[in-house]
Structures are given as C-alpha cells and as structure tokens.
Amino acid sequence: MSRMEINELERKWLFVSLAMIGMFVGAIVVTAIGKGIHPPSHVETIDSASLHLSQEFAEDKLGVQPEPLADGSLQVRLVAGRYGFYPREIEVPAGRRIVFRMASMDVLHGAHIPMTNMSTMIVPGYVSEVVSVFPKPGEYPMLCNEYCGLGHDHMWSKVTVVAQENWREPATGGKQP
Amino acid sequence: MNDATVNRLTLFNFWVAFGAFGLACFFGMYQVLERSGLFAFLQSPAVYFASVSTHGVLMAFVLTTFFIMGFGYYTAAQSLRRPLWNPPLAWAGYGVCLFGVALAAVPLLLGKASVLYTFYPPIQANVFFYLGATLLVVGSWFWCVIMLVMFAQWKRDHPGETVPLPMFATAANALLWLWTSAGVALESVFQLLPWALGLTDTIDVGLARTLFAWTLHPIVYFWLIPAYIALYCYVPQAAGGKLFSDLLARAAFVLILVLGLPIGFHHLYMDPEQGAGWKFLHMVGTFAVAIPTLLTAFTVIASLEMAGRRRGGAGLFGWIGALPWKHPMVLAAILSLLMLVLGGFGGIVNASYAMNAMVHNTAWVPGHFHLIFAGTVVTMYLAVAYKLWPELCGRRLYSDDLALVQLWGWFIGMVIMTTPWHILGLLGQPRRISAVQYNSVLTLSWEPYELAMIAGGFILVGSACLFVYLLYKTQTAGGKVDAREDMEDAPPTGRRHG
Amino acid sequence: MKAILLVTTGMMLAAGVDAAPSTQVAWTPATLDFVKKGDADRGKTLSAPCASCHDGTGTNPNLNGQLPTYLYRQLQDYKSGTRQDPATIMNAMASTLRDQDMADLAVWYGQQVPMLGAGGATDVTGIAERGEGRRMEPACSACHGTGGQGEKVDTPRLAGQNAAYLEATLLAYKSGQRANDIYSRMRLIAGKLSDVEIRQLADYYSRLK
C-alpha cells in the first residue's frame, strides 16, 4: 500500500465518523433553532461594585417578584456573593416558568440546582439569566458550583418548590427569611 | 542513537516532568481523603484549595510542558537524523521554564496562590505565581522555535521529500502551542500581572475568561499530540504490525491543528458574557475536532488488528488475545484507547451545547478529564518513558513485569476513581468543593462514592510511585544495552516507511 | 428599636418609597483610587480628636492597622446614617467630615502598626475556622482571612480587636441594630449564633496576634 493511498476501510470509517458527528450536531441544531434551547447566553452588563445601589438588584427588590412577567412567568432576582445566594431562601410554585436573574457582587460564582437544568455561571460585571420549570414540589439546594474562595463549600441556598395551589404570591420582593 | 546532548536534554526535561507527576499524585491522594470528610484532622479548605491548585499546575502545566519539550528534542533528532539545532537555546528554555516553576511553587505551597490552575480572577494570587506561570509558557516558546527551525532545515536539505511522521506531528504541535498559548500570555501580561502588581485596581473578568478559553481547549491537544505520536509511530511496530495509513495520520494532525483552535468557548457555555451564536459556532468546532480522534482510534485499532492477525489471531475477536499484551507499549495503547472511548463518551455530553447544563461544573467534569488526560494521555507518556529510558541511559528497563503491573494499576485506579465522579456529577455534586457542608437530604447519597474514590486514589498513588521507582532503578541499576539492539526498536521514519 | 423599624417599614410601604440601601458607598475603581490616594499626614492631624475614645477601652474599636477601605465606608455610613451609633457620637462626628477627610483618616489609621492580641486563641465554637454546614454558617476565616487580618475589599481586620467591641458588634448585627452590611450578610450570620458563641468568637479574635 502506498503512503498516499486511503484504504477502502478507512474511507468507509471516515464516512461513518462524519455521519455520527453530523447526527449529533444535527440534533443540537434542531433543538436549538427549532425549540430555542440554548445555554444561558444573556449578554447584559451591570456594575457589580454598585449592585446594591442599582434599581434591579437593590436589597428590597430581590427574591421572587410580586408581578408576573407578561408571559405569565415568575421572575426571581438573586445576588450571588461570598458565601450565599441572597435571599438565602426562596419559595416558587411547581410547573411554572421561572426566569432567574442573577448577578455577582464580588467574584465568580456558579448556580446549580441538582437534578434540574437550572444552571448558570455568574460572572462579575454581567447579569445571568436562566429559565427553568420545576415539575416536582420539594426542597432543593441551590449550590455554588464555581470556586469562589475558602468559604465556597458553604455557599448554598434553599429553594422550596411548592404545588401551584399552595403557592401564594409574595407581597414584596427582597424579603430575607 | 541520538547524541549525548539530546539524550541529556531529554532526560533532564523528563525528570522534571515525572518528578512533578509523582509529587502531584500525593496531592491528589490528600484531596480524595480530605474531601471524603472521614478524617476530621485533614479537613481544611485552605490546605485543600492550595493542594488542588498545586496538583493542577503540576499535572497540567509542569508534567505536560516538560514532557513535550523532552520528547520533542528526542523526536526531532531521532526522526530527522540530525543533531539538535542550537542546544544552548534549548537549555536556556529549560532554565526559564524551571525558574518559572520554582517561582510559582513558593506562593502555591504557601497557600498564596489558591486560584486553581485556571487562575480564577478576580480572586487574586501572589504576583510570583503569575510571573512563574508566564515564564513557564515563555520558556516553552524556545522549544517551539527549535522544533520549527529543525523542521525547516530538514525541508531545505531534503527537497521534495516527506518529513517523517513523528516530526510532522511535533512541528504541528509547536505551531498549535504558539497560537494556543497566546491567549493565556495576553491575559497574564495585560491583565493579571498589572493587577497583581497593584498597577490596576480592577480586572475585566469576562475578558480574562474569554482569553483563558482561547488557550483552554487547544492546550488539551498540545498535551494529546505526543500521545498520538506514540500511538501512530511506536504502537504498531511494538505490536508486530505496521501503521495502517501514513496519510490519514498526517490528516489527523492537520485537522487537530486547524479545528482545535476555535473551540475554547465550550468552556464558556454557561457564561453570561458570550452570546449564543459564538457558543454555537464553537459547539460545531468541538464536534468537528472529534473526527481526527475517531480516525486515530480507527487507524491504531486497525493496525493492532493487523498485528494480532499476523501473530496468528483468528476470528472476530481472536486477534485481541493474540496481541503482545506483555509489551508495555502495546498494553498502554490498549488501556489508553479504552479510557479514550469512555472519556470520549462523557466529552460528547459536555460538548452538547444545552445538555451540558446538567453536568456543568459538577464532579462529572473532573471525571471526564481524568479519563482523557490522566488516563489516555498520561498512560502514553508512561509508555514513552518505558521505551525511551533504556535508549537515554543505555540500560535495560529494570523490570518489564513491574512496568506491566504499574500500567494495569494506573488503569484500574483511574477507572475506580472516575466512575464515582461521573455518578456524583449526575447527582449534582459540584467539583472544587473541599467538603460537603450542605444540610440537604440529597447530599447523603454522595457518601459511598467518596469511599470508592479513596480506593482509586490509593491504587493510583501506588502506581505512580512504582513508575518513578522503575525509572530511577533503570537509570542506576539496569543492565547495559549495546547500541545495535537499540536500533531495532527505533520509531518508523518517513524514509524507512515509504 | 424593633418598633422603630416596623414603623419605618410601614411608612415606606405606605408611601411606596424604596428602602434605603445599607450603604451608599460602592467600590468602583474611582472610589478605590480615591481612598488609596488619601493623605496620611493630613489624616494624622485630623485624627487628634479621635484618640480620646479610640484607645481600646470600653466597647470602642481599636483603629490601628484597620483596612482603609473599611474605615472609609464606616465613616460614610455614619454620615449618611445607614450605620447608627447608639450613642450618636460617631454620627455627629462623621457629619462634619468631607470625603477627602475620610480618605485621609482611613489611610492614616491603615498605616499604623496593627493592634495585637494577647495570644492563646482557641476557636471553641469551631465556626471561626471551619464554619458549620447545618446552620449555613461559613467560617469567619473564609472572608476575614485565616489569621483574621481582613481581606479585600472592605472586610475588616478582626485580629487583636477589642473583645468588648467585637461582642457588641455581633450582638448589634444579630438584633438588626447594625444594618450597614450589604444584603444582610453579617446579620444573617450573626443571627444564627448564640450569645455564648458570640462571646467566644469575640474572645478568640481579640487574642489573635
């Protein structure tokens, strides 16, 4: 066999490889374009140093927002800071579309609710927006999954998902438990 | 047989690489013990994160860079059959790298640089850490220049001839590294250093992460290419066959070089500072770069099959049993490919754009990269060391049997350690935690897996110690080899292969 | 105090006015630079009236070696009223200071040799060094530094501080009397500590060298 020749088997394998990769990418293209499933890519900047003086992330504006969004989703505003998500306990209804808006007041953080697709990085200087629906009521931890300093292990908050009929809309945002 | 200068240079680089490797395994061992929470006296986030940072820097930067430089010098001189160009420059690069490592080691070990090996601004490390890391990169650029000059000189002296495959791949790697390392170099020089020196008060984290992502995937191919060189150039011969196709091997290296570059944003899938469009493009690139790996796996397995059949193996799987499993290079290749298949599967999940949200930054991720890097890549590094040590020292390997035990140990330990990691990741355990402090029912289910990781860690540390011991004994107490015997095992070159 | 809080909250709800943030200071690059460039010599002159109280007696804090950023923000908070001195002395003092005066004072005190503890510190609570997962309490050292030396940006130095001041401060956070911690971080932490633990932690940090 000459060096510059491609063996028949190899040629077949090349097509198999291309088809396999094409299938994976194809599935992603369909879900991304057809169903709008994207990773959280909300390119929106904010001054992390003066978060507490901003309109949106002022201390009394955090938490589950009393007014639902136009499409009926609930908005939850959280600030990630060493070492917790503030407010540290929130309550949301099951089965409802929830839009999390999060910003960091200090360093890099990550937010993840295990066993759900609620996950995003929180980078100083940016607002992270991530949408999720929690089908099952229960108490979930929201864990910081990005190294943020020596207290990183302690950085978590409680998210209680309650059945839609038991859920009452909060009077104001930003109540700390 | 290479001249003494090249041998010395290779050996010096290799000892730094494998010394760092052995040391880093002990840090890893401490980490699995600390994390399990079983030993109260070990618990300390400060020590844990200093240890993780040191483990990461030693494995990902020191082991790899020094191994690749040493292997490159050897490969260039061996496959091109010419003396090393400008040895003083090579020694200067070695010195700069080593000085950088020493400079970075001080703050790392003092816990003043617990920023993990990916730097993590705006958490700030001591300035000597950034300076040391930068010097390590700068020193490795000396190596790139030497590789490219030797490649060009050979081309000039051999018009119309094809460069031997090992050198072709090494030159591709030098080019890849020059481009790849520019991202982290820019971050370091224009962001981290001025900030750590107090010249600037703040740092643009989004930009720093984007620059680091520029480096932080192609760097994986910088580490991987030497392993592929061994798979393409050493394994088929060691198994008693020959390389299936030289052309496709070259195509794979070119594809890695070209496609490996625009994919780093897959580390930023979950980040808010990049738009979906860019992430989508990098997703396509990430899948595309799997093609050269699929080609490599096919070609290597096919050449192993040819060897197995030539050795009398028959039937659909009979050739597997007929392979020389007792040859360290062949065994390493089989184990390495097995881990590549397992790790590659996990990698496809990570690469999957939106599905990645389920496992992002969970224990799944270290599970994945320990299989690919510590499994596939490092196993081949170990096999290369077993092959080269006798040549470099002029002595026979101290014990073939112990080398086999060592390689099996590394494989078994890695499987035992990474399987729980994958499961914990699916259960949502974050990576980079030093202890489980969450007061939640969910976290109770994590405990048994931590125990399995300790078992894996012990086996791995034992295997690493055995490896370093074997190298040391080979160099000091191995039987003398004569030069002719040595030549039989030489890697294939373009001329001989044609 | 609780009654006042309730009344003010009620009034604000009624009027639809936003609650005031816990501090007006934001650590923008400009503010950081402004504090860094404070004039220590001027600060020394200005500090003359401070020394009579800040001599480490009673519940008054020792200011030597404290982070300038922390001192600057406290002065600003006293002036704007987001930190209330029960004796109102500090609010009155700070109201006479201009921004430049505060930066100068902060830099002067920051340059002094830090207060030193008597030694023999042991963390009886375990919270200073390890924190406690069950109560969502991070370790004090995670933010205040492993030796209690304080950390960027404005997490104060605790090592060697007057124990009576530390105890009073933690109790004030616990009761909500002190509320100039952004997003209630110290209030949430102190709120879960028992009064005994507060005394033990105050003793621990006052002894650190």
Side-chain angles (χ1 to χ4, degrees), chain C residues 25-125:
Chain C
V25 178
W27 290 119
T28 57
T31 316
L32 281 171
D33 196 50
F34 177 71
V35 175
K36 200 162 80 177
K37 291 202 174 120
D39 179 350
D41 292 337
R42 247 197 106 236
K44 185 182 180 181
T45 321
L46 286 168
S47 75
C50 311
S52 59
C53 290
H54 287 286
D55 55 356
T57 57
T59 55
N60 296 328
N62 190 330
L63 306 178
N64 290 340
Q66 187 53 277
L67 272 68
T69 43
Y70 176 75
L71 293 175
Y72 178 81
R73 183 160 85 78
Q74 300 312 307
L75 287 171
Q76 287 284 4
D77 290 355
Y78 276 128
K79 187 175 181 179
S80 69
T82 58
R83 181 172 177 185
Q84 288 289 336
D85 177 8
T88 68
I89 299 168
M90 279 311 297
N91 297 97
M93 296 290 275
S95 68
T96 65
L97 297 174
R98 294 174 304 117
D99 291 354
Q100 187 60 53
D101 303 335
M102 296 182 188
D104 297 344
L105 276 166
V107 168
W108 159 254
Y109 275 113
Q111 284 178 357
Q112 303 312 300
V113 179
M115 48 243 180
L116 283 182
T122 42
D123 176 21
V124 194
T125 60

Side-chain angles (χ1 to χ4, degrees), chain B residues 299-357:
Chain B
T299 309
V300 176
I301 293 171
S303 50
L304 283 177
E305 182 180 343
M306 291 195 327
R309 295 200 186 285
R310 200 177 285 178
R311 293 168 66 95
L316 194 54
F317 298 111
W319 60 271
I320 299 176
L323 287 172
W325 285 73
K326 298 208 160 170
H327 193 302
M329 184 62 74
V330 176
L331 177 66
I334 296 168
L335 302 179
S336 169
L337 284 169
L338 269 173
M339 288 189 274
L340 182 65
V341 171
L342 297 172
F345 165 75
I348 285 177
V349 176
N350 300 341
S352 294
Y353 196 55
M355 187 161 49
N356 167 61

